């Protein structure tokens, strides 16, 4: 058939014929030139016949066609039709027939095609034979088999363990109905400052004027003191602006949810209890509604039971109102994170745009409180796991490199073994074995290695998952959902299949590519090898070295970061400081004087304990979660435009706080017992505050008007009486920010953390608990920890990533070393006759060693160069 005829025929083909034409590309070019037209004509005839029988036969016909074309096409490439005049003549009379399109030169009327069932049984029997032969062959070489299995198991196990974490944290959907519709709202300013808390009036505006949200609710993640069931105990709870159940599209198991109007000041206190709490504390009694639950001495009426499994936020077991006093805490008082549910069919981007437009509208209506304040939305999943995504994916990429190195290592070992087996393969080909049969046997051997190593790797993965969770930082989100589930098993099976294909196919094709005469000739000389296999081994070794260098440099960067964070100047001392927090609740502490008296009496009792050196209390300890920011006005400067007031971090501290944490006083004096609510309002500023706002003048005596502090506006400015050294309050990686300290006696918060400095090795918590119990048995200590553990927890994520990356890099380096040793050892063994001849002709040992060394060091040098180039990208990600 001429080229023009072929072109016209193919262009006139139907869609099905065009699809089949693409499949014909699997055949060699010479074969297509001879048989393309009759095969496509046969395809069309058999397709029409199948169409007359119905849709199911047509589908079966296409499936058989694809499978037969794949098998026959690859077979023709491995065993091509011989060229020559005789074949050219015979080819004219041979036409492929049937839906399987067997090669015409293989058709013989005297040997009809066996039934399909018989052929499948024959294939299965052949696979059983190949498997038995592979197992016997591997058992005869235990050293090779053990090394290969260990390499596969380490690579697969590390990937399974790391994927278990990634699957549990990043890939598994959130355990809520339609989690893609759940969003959290953020609040940003044009200056770039971002937060996730809202004021109650802004939240009410969003609930009324944002149709993109079906529901929205503000909440505070807290702990409530249960005082009506025996000894006072802390219960994880949520304080909400209105019910969360509507936001999460779930119905209460009993009763109802909290209504928005019930969260206003003066409304009777109500509570919704969790399902587990209801079952454990009330025996799942259906009469629980209307009963009273006492929290911090205040009775709350039980109005509902949450559905089973619902515990947002952070494992909450009960939910109470967040009482809002709009007169004292307006649109400037941002205290509530907000979670919402998108309307059906509304994407996050649309809600984000709608909230932005609403914030501009509110800025026009309330310029003083909402100046340059912008609202936005992002998915709840992104808010929960967003900070961990890059680090976990980086580790998954690193462990993927380890798997690639393991595959390259095993492929190198198989290449060496395959080269030694070249005489065996050549002999089998000479005796009539087909290349396809030998290819199948070699791939089965690789599959046996991959399956055995993968099974061992799955066991290592289960153990490694527990190890990763033990090493993970405390703030790793969704850690409880990490498990070796069916998704991880499916991933492992896929990895094993990919591994078997990667390290089995290349050596097998290389071995089959060795000419028969060359293989038999090498057998007579006792060795085998080609430049192609040598090039493949060198390339694989170079890739191993490059990947190992990238991992090592990445680990080195993280290790340097971790070392720098360990030596950073915190501005305070962490040794021998124990922390615990107390929340005063109930009518007794509505009077600020009673709350102040409680903390002052407690400090005195703790100071009198043996081994205690000093005691201080504060709202907002370094690296803690209770950080409050506020705006202020410098009275000796022109007043700023509304909404453009500067801001700083705020801390309410007792006089012993600076001494306990050893924060140096640079100028002025500390707070003392004369700084009371009825006296002059005073403040202490940080060094950064003084440098930024009073760079060329003495800050002592300056007046600062506090606009918002702990939810209320102050009536008179504060006088600066001192300057203290900077501390890292927010994060170890952030430079110190301007901070302002006010005395506890003039701010009156009923929630404080106490810091107690002790002599080395002294544990004062038992005595401290007893002291608290004597003052008020309904106030249990919470968040008991040491300041050193707080700093250690802040180092947790960097330490976690650095340790794992160093571990992966170490495994990669060991695998690369094994690969290098195997290749160089094989090359030396292969060149032993050559080395003997060289030494017989006068070469000395040094020249021989140099020759072998240079042969092994070349791929290392190339790998290092490639690895350094790749590390530039890795360094930017890290």
């Amino acid at each position: 058939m001429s080229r023009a005829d072929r072109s016209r025929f193919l262009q006139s083909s139907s869609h099905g014929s065009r699809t089949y034409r693409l499949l014909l590309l699997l055949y060699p070019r010479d074969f297509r030139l001879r048989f393309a037209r009759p095969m496509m004509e046969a395809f069309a005839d058999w397709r029409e016949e199948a169409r007359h029988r119905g849709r199911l036969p047509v589908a079966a016909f296409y499936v058989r066609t694809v499978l037969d074309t794949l098998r026959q096409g690859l077979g023709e490439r491995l065993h091509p039709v011989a060229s020559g005049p005789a074949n050219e003549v015979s080819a004219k009379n041979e036409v492929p027939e049937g839906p399987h399109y067997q090669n015409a030169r293989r058709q013989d009327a005297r040997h009809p095609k066996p039934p399909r069932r018989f052929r499948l049984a024959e294939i299965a029997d052949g696979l059983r034979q190949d498997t038995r032969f592979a197992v016997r062959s591997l058992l005869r070489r235990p050293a090779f088999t053990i090394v290969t299995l260990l390499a596969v198991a380490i690579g697969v196990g590390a990937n399974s363990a790391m994927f278990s974490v990634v699957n549990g944290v990043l890939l598994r959907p959130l355990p809520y109905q339609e989690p893609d519709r759940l969003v959290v709202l953020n609040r940003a300013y044009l200056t770039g400052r971002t937060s996730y808390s809202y004021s109650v009036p802004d939240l009410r505006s969003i609930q009324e004027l944002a149709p993109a949200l079906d529901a929205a609710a503000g909440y505070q993640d807290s702990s409530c003191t249960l005082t009506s069931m025996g000894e006072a105990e802390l219960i994880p709870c949520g304080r909400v602006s209105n019910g969360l159940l509507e936001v999460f599209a779930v119905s209460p198991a009993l009763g109802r949810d909290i209504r928005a109007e019930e969260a206003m000041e003066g409304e009777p206190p109500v509570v919704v209890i969790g399902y587990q709490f209801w079952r454990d504390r009330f025996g799942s009694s259906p009469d629980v509604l209307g009963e009273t639950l006492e929290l911090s001495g205040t009775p709350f009426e039980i109005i509902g039971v949450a559905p089973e499994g619902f515990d947002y936020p952070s494992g909450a077991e009960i939910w109470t109102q967040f009482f809002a006093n709009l007169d004292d805490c307006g649109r400037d008082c941002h205290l509530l994170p907000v979670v919402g549910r998108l309307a059906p069919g509304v994407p996050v981007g649309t809600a984000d745009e709608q909230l932005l437009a609403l914030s501009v509208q509110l800025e026009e209506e309330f310029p003083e409180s909402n100046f340059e304040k912008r609202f936005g939305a992002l998915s709840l999943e992104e808010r929960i796991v967003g900070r961990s995504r890059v680090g976990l994916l980086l580790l998954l990429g690193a462990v993927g490199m380890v798997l690639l190195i393991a595959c390259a290592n095993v492929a190198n070992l198989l290449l060496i073994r395959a080269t030694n087996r070249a005489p065996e393969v050549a002999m089998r080909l000479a005796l009539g074995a087909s290349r396809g049969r030998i290819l199948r046997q070699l791939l089965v051997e690789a599959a046996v290695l991959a399956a055995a190593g993968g099974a061992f790797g799955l066991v290592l993965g289960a153990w490694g998952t527990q190890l990763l969770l033990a090493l993970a930082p405390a703030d790793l989100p969704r850690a409880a959902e990490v498990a070796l589930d069916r998704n991880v098993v499916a991933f492992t099976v896929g990895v094993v299949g990919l591994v078997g294909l990667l390290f089995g196919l290349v050596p097998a094709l290389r071995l089959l590519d060795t000419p028969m005469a060359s293989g038999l000739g090498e057998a007579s000389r006792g060795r085998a090898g080609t430049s192609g296999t040598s090039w493949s081994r060198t390339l694989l070794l170079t890739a191993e070295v490059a990947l190992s260098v990238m991992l090592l440099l990445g680990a080195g960067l993280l290790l340097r970061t971790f070392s720098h964070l360990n030596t950073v100047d915190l501005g305070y001392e962490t040794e021998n400081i124990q922390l615990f927090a107390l929340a005063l609740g109930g009518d007794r502490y509505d009077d600020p004087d009673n709350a102040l008296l409680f903390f002052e009496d407690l400090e005195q009792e703790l100071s009198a304990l043996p081994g205690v050196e000093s005691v201080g209390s504060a709202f907002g300890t370094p690296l803690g979660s209770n950080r409050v920011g506020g705006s202020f006005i410098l009275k000796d400067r022109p007043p700023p435009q509304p909404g453009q007031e500067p801001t700083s971090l705020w801390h309410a501290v007792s006089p012993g706080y600076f001494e306990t944490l050893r924060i140096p006083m640079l100028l002025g004096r500390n707070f003392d017992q004369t700084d009371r609510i009825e006296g002059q309002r005073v403040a202490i500023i940080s060094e950064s505050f003084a440098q930024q706002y009073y760079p060329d003048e003495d800050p002592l005596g300056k007046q600062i008007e506090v606009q918002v502090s702990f939810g209320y506006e102050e009536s008179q400015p504060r006088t600066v009486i001192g300057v203290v050294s900077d501390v890292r309050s927010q994060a170890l990686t952030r430079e110190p920010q301007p901070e302002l300290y006010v005395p506890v006696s003039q701010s009156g918060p009923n929630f404080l953390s106490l810091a107690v400095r002790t002599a080395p090795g002294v544990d004062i918590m038992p005595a401290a608990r007893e002291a608290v119990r004597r003052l008020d048995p309904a106030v249990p200590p919470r968040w008991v920890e040491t300041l050193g553990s707080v700093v250690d927890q802040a180092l947790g994520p960097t330490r976690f990533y650095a340790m794992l990356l160093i571990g992966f890099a170490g495994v990669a380096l060991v695998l690369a070393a094994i690969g290098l040793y195997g290749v160089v050892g094989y090359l030396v063994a292969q060149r032993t006759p050559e080395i003997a001849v060289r030494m017989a002709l006068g070469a000395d040992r040094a020249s021989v060693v140099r020759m072998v060394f240079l042969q092994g060091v070349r791929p290392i040098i190339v790998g290092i160069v490639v690895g350094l180039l790749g590390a530039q990208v890795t360094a930017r990600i890290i």
Side-chain angles (χ1 to χ4, degrees):
M1 178 172 64
S2 66
R3 180 175 299 178
D5 291 338
R6 287 197 304 273
S7 177
R8 283 193 298 272
F9 176 78
L10 296 178
Q11 290 176 0
S12 64
S13 301
S14 64
H15 176 72
S17 298
R18 289 197 298 271
T19 303
Y20 182 64
R21 182 185 60 187
L22 296 176
L23 290 174
L24 291 180
L25 295 176
L26 294 170
Y27 288 88
R29 183 173 180 274
D30 292 340
F31 184 93
R32 295 198 305 272
L33 292 177
R34 296 178 188 175
F35 301 117
R37 185 182 183 89
M39 289 179 72
M40 295 185 69
E41 290 174 349
F43 170 83
D45 293 340
W46 282 82
R47 182 184 60 187
E48 289 300 320
E49 181 180 339
R51 283 178 176 173
H52 291 307
R53 298 198 300 269
R55 293 184 177 181
L56 187 60
V58 170
F61 164 75
Y62 276 111
V63 172
R64 291 198 305 272
T65 299
V66 172
L67 294 177
D68 288 343
T69 307
L70 286 171
R71 180 168 56 85
Q72 293 296 329
L74 294 176
E76 283 297 331
R77 286 188 176 274
L78 293 173
H79 198 151
V81 178
S83 60
N87 288 296
E88 293 290 345
V89 175
S90 63
K92 296 177 181 179
N93 300 319
E94 292 178 310
V95 178
E97 297 178 350
H100 309 298
Y101 304 109
Q102 300 290 338
N103 188 347
R105 70 179 181 80
R106 295 180 181 173
Q107 294 289 347
D108 191 345
R110 293 171 300 176
H111 300 87
K113 182 175 62 176
R116 174 173 297 274
R117 186 175 300 172
F118 174 77
R119 289 191 295 113
L120 290 177
E122 184 180 10
I123 293 173
D125 184 65
L127 289 176
R128 284 195 297 268
Q129 293 179 13
D130 289 340
T131 302
R132 287 197 301 268
F133 179 81
V135 172
R136 290 197 304 268
S137 176
L138 293 173
L139 290 178
R140 285 196 298 267
R141 298 169 179 82
F144 165 82
T145 303
I146 291 174
V147 171
T148 305
L149 289 180
L150 282 177
V152 175
I154 290 173
V156 172
N159 277 268
S160 296
M162 196 65 238
F163 182 78
S164 297
V165 178
V166 172
N167 177 61
V169 175
L170 301 181
L171 302 183
R172 183 178 295 174
L174 295 177
Y176 307 117
Q177 293 188 24
E178 299 180 293
D180 55 315
R181 290 177 58 190
L182 293 173
V183 295
V184 295
L185 307 190
N186 56 24
R187 173 177 54 87
Y189 293 88
L190 299 184
T191 57
R193 184 163 53 92
T194 303
S195 176
Y196 289 90
S197 58
Y198 276 73
S199 64
V200 173
D202 283 342
L203 173 59
R204 296 284 188 261
S205 298
I206 291 172
Q207 291 171 328
E208 296 169 2
L209 303 175
L213 297 178
D214 261 0
Y219 65 91
Q220 278 187 344
D221 183 7
S222 183
S223 295
C224 296
T225 304
L226 180 63
T227 54
S228 59
M229 294 184 174
E231 187 176 351
E233 60 178 311
L234 295 174
I235 303 295
C237 72
R239 304 182 188 276
V240 297
S241 65
N242 52 284
L244 288 174
L245 299 184
E246 180 185 1
V247 175
F248 287 86
V250 292
S251 300
L254 285 177
R256 62 174 178 84
D257 206 351
I258 297 174
R259 302 189 181 105
E261 59 269 18
E262 291 176 319
M264 301 304 294
E265 194 76 26
E267 292 294 320
V270 295
V271 62
V272 172
I273 61 176
Y275 192 92
Q276 182 86 16
F277 188 89
W278 173 54
R279 186 178 62 188
D280 295 344
R281 307 294 181 117
F282 294 94
S284 301
S285 171
D287 301 326
V288 70
L289 300 181
E291 292 195 23
T292 298
L293 197 68
E294 191 175 284
L295 303 177
S296 298
T298 301
F300 285 72
E301 179 188 358
I302 299 176
I303 61 170
V305 177
E308 186 174 7
F310 183 77
D311 61 354
Y312 191 90
S314 301
E317 297 182 26
I318 56 178
W319 294 265
T320 67
Q321 308 113 302
F322 175 83
F323 289 111
N325 187 329
L326 301 185
D327 295 331
D328 292 341
C329 196
R331 292 183 181 270
D332 261 332
C333 188
H334 306 106
L335 299 174
L336 295 175
V338 176
V339 61
R341 173 168 288 273
L342 297 172
V346 176
V348 177
T350 300
D352 187 71
E353 294 173 358
Q354 194 174 105
L355 290 170
L356 177 62
L358 176 60
S359 63
V360 174
Q361 175 184 336
L362 293 178
E363 181 184 17
E364 295 175 355
E365 296 181 22
F366 308 100
E368 293 189 3
S369 61
N370 288 60
F371 181 77
E372 294 188 349
K373 186 194 299 184
R374 298 294 180 260
F375 303 156
L378 75 159
S379 70
L380 177 62
E381 180 183 14
E382 179 64 24
R383 173 59 177 161
I384 293 175
V385 305
R387 290 183 298 175
S388 302
R389 176 175 284 109
V390 174
L392 292 179
L393 293 180
L394 175 66
L395 291 178
L396 188 62
V399 80
M401 291 184 181
V402 173
L403 180 63
L404 290 177
I405 293 172
C407 289
N409 209 3
V410 175
N412 249 333
L413 294 174
L414 288 176
L415 274 173
I416 294 172
R417 185 165 181 262
T419 304
N420 292 330
R421 296 178 64 181
E424 170 200 339
V425 173
M427 186 65 70
R428 293 176 64 181
L429 289 172
L431 293 176
S434 67
R435 291 180 179 270
R437 180 70 177 80
I438 295 176
L439 176 64
R440 188 181 72 185
Q441 191 268 314
L442 294 174
L443 289 179
V444 167
E445 184 174 308
V448 169
L449 278 172
F456 188 27
L458 194 59
V459 176
L460 290 180
W463 175 79
T465 300
Q466 300 303 316
L467 178 62
L468 289 179
L469 290 177
L471 295 175
D475 60 350
L476 180 69
R478 307 182 67 188
E481 300 177 44
V482 174
L484 197 67
D485 58 8
R486 60 185 180 182
N487 293 333
V488 179
V489 174
F491 170 81
T492 303
V493 172
V495 167
V496 169
L498 180 63
V499 165
L501 185 64
L502 284 177
F503 68 61
L505 191 59
V506 174
L509 293 178
R510 281 292 180 189
L511 183 57
L512 291 175
D513 202 32
T514 303
M516 186 188 305
S518 173
L520 293 173
E522 296 293 348
S524 66
R525 295 189 293 272
R527 64 183 180 88
T530 65
S531 61
T533 55
S534 177
W535 179 83
S536 298
R537 289 192 300 270
T538 302
L539 180 61
L540 289 172
L541 182 58
T542 302
E544 289 184 53
V545 174
L547 293 174
S548 300
V549 169
M550 291 175 62
L551 285 176
L552 283 171
L553 289 178
L557 286 173
L558 278 179
L559 188 61
R560 186 180 66 178
T561 301
F562 181 70
S563 176
H564 172 71
L565 292 178
N566 266 316
T567 58
V568 70
D569 182 15
L570 302 175
Y572 48 87
E573 295 185 9
T574 62
E575 295 295 327
N576 304 317
I577 295 181
Q578 292 181 301
L579 302 173
F580 64 93
L582 297 173
L584 307 182
D587 297 337
R588 171 185 173 185
Y589 300 108
D590 289 342
D591 185 352
D593 291 336
N594 291 337
L596 177 61
L597 182 61
F598 174 91
F599 284 113
E600 289 181 341
D601 290 344
L602 180 59
E603 283 196 20
Q604 290 180 2
E605 290 206 24
L606 294 178
S607 299
L609 293 177
V612 173
E613 298 180 359
S614 61
V615 180
S617 55
F619 185 91
T621 55
L623 305 178
S625 58
N626 294 313
R627 293 191 297 269
V628 174
S631 58
F632 59 88
I633 296 175
L634 305 178
K635 298 300 291 182
D636 60 339
R637 313 285 172 84
Q641 294 295 325
Q644 296 184 344
E645 297 88 353
T647 61
S648 73
L649 290 177
W650 288 82
H651 305 278
V653 302
S654 69
Y657 176 75
F658 298 113
E659 178 188 357
T660 301
L661 269 63
R662 306 282 171 84
I663 300 176
M665 182 71 63
L666 304 180
L667 287 175
R669 67 171 178 88
N670 191 4
F671 300 130
D672 56 32
Q673 297 301 323
T674 63
D675 300 317
R676 313 297 289 185
I677 190 69
E678 63 276 4
Q680 181 188 30
R681 297 296 179 94
V682 294
I684 294 175
I685 61 176
S686 68
E687 185 178 5
S688 294
F689 192 109
Q691 291 175 350
Q692 182 170 343
Y693 298 107
Y694 303 106
D696 300 318
E697 51 187 319
D698 185 0
L700 298 182
K702 299 294 184 181
Q703 298 285 305
I704 300 177
E705 181 180 326
V706 178
Q707 289 192 309
V708 177
S709 174
F710 308 118
Y712 64 90
E713 294 190 7
E714 297 191 338
S715 58
Q716 57 180 302
R718 292 184 177 271
T719 302
V720 177
I721 62 170
V723 178
V724 295
S725 178
D726 284 332
V727 298
R728 293 182 184 259
S729 296
Q730 295 175 291
L732 300 180
T733 54
R734 293 189 61 178
E735 291 298 323
Q737 304 296 309
E739 301 187 32
L740 192 148
Y741 301 87
V742 299
V744 167
S745 55
Q746 292 183 349
S747 58
N750 60 359
F751 182 96
L752 290 179
S753 295
L754 282 94
V756 184
R757 175 174 291 279
T758 66
V762 175
D763 181 14
I764 54 89
M765 282 313 302
R769 293 181 189 275
E770 183 60 31
V772 173
R773 190 178 296 111
R774 286 196 301 270
L775 291 174
D776 191 338
V779 183
R782 62 183 74 190
W783 302 347
V784 179
E785 57 194 350
T786 65
L787 187 54
S789 67
V790 173
V791 175
D792 188 67
Q793 183 177 336
L795 290 169
T798 304
R799 180 174 55 247
F800 175 66
Y801 298 132
M803 289 177 61
L804 289 189
L805 203 54
I806 290 171
F808 295 153
V811 172
L813 191 61
V814 170
L815 291 175
I818 293 174
L820 175 63
Y821 176 79
V823 170
V824 174
Y826 170 75
L827 293 176
V828 171
Q830 188 183 42
R831 299 183 66 176
T832 298
E834 175 192 345
I835 293 173
V837 171
R838 286 175 177 269
M839 297 189 70
L841 295 176
D844 57 0
R845 291 178 178 271
S847 62
V848 173
V849 171
R850 183 167 57 252
M851 176 190 69
V852 175
F853 175 77
L854 291 177
Q855 190 170 9
V857 82
R858 288 194 190 99
I860 296 178
I861 295 175
V862 176
I864 290 175
V865 173
V866 174
L868 289 174
L869 294 176
Q872 299 296 322
V873 179
T874 306
R876 293 175 184 174
I877 297 175
I878 292 177

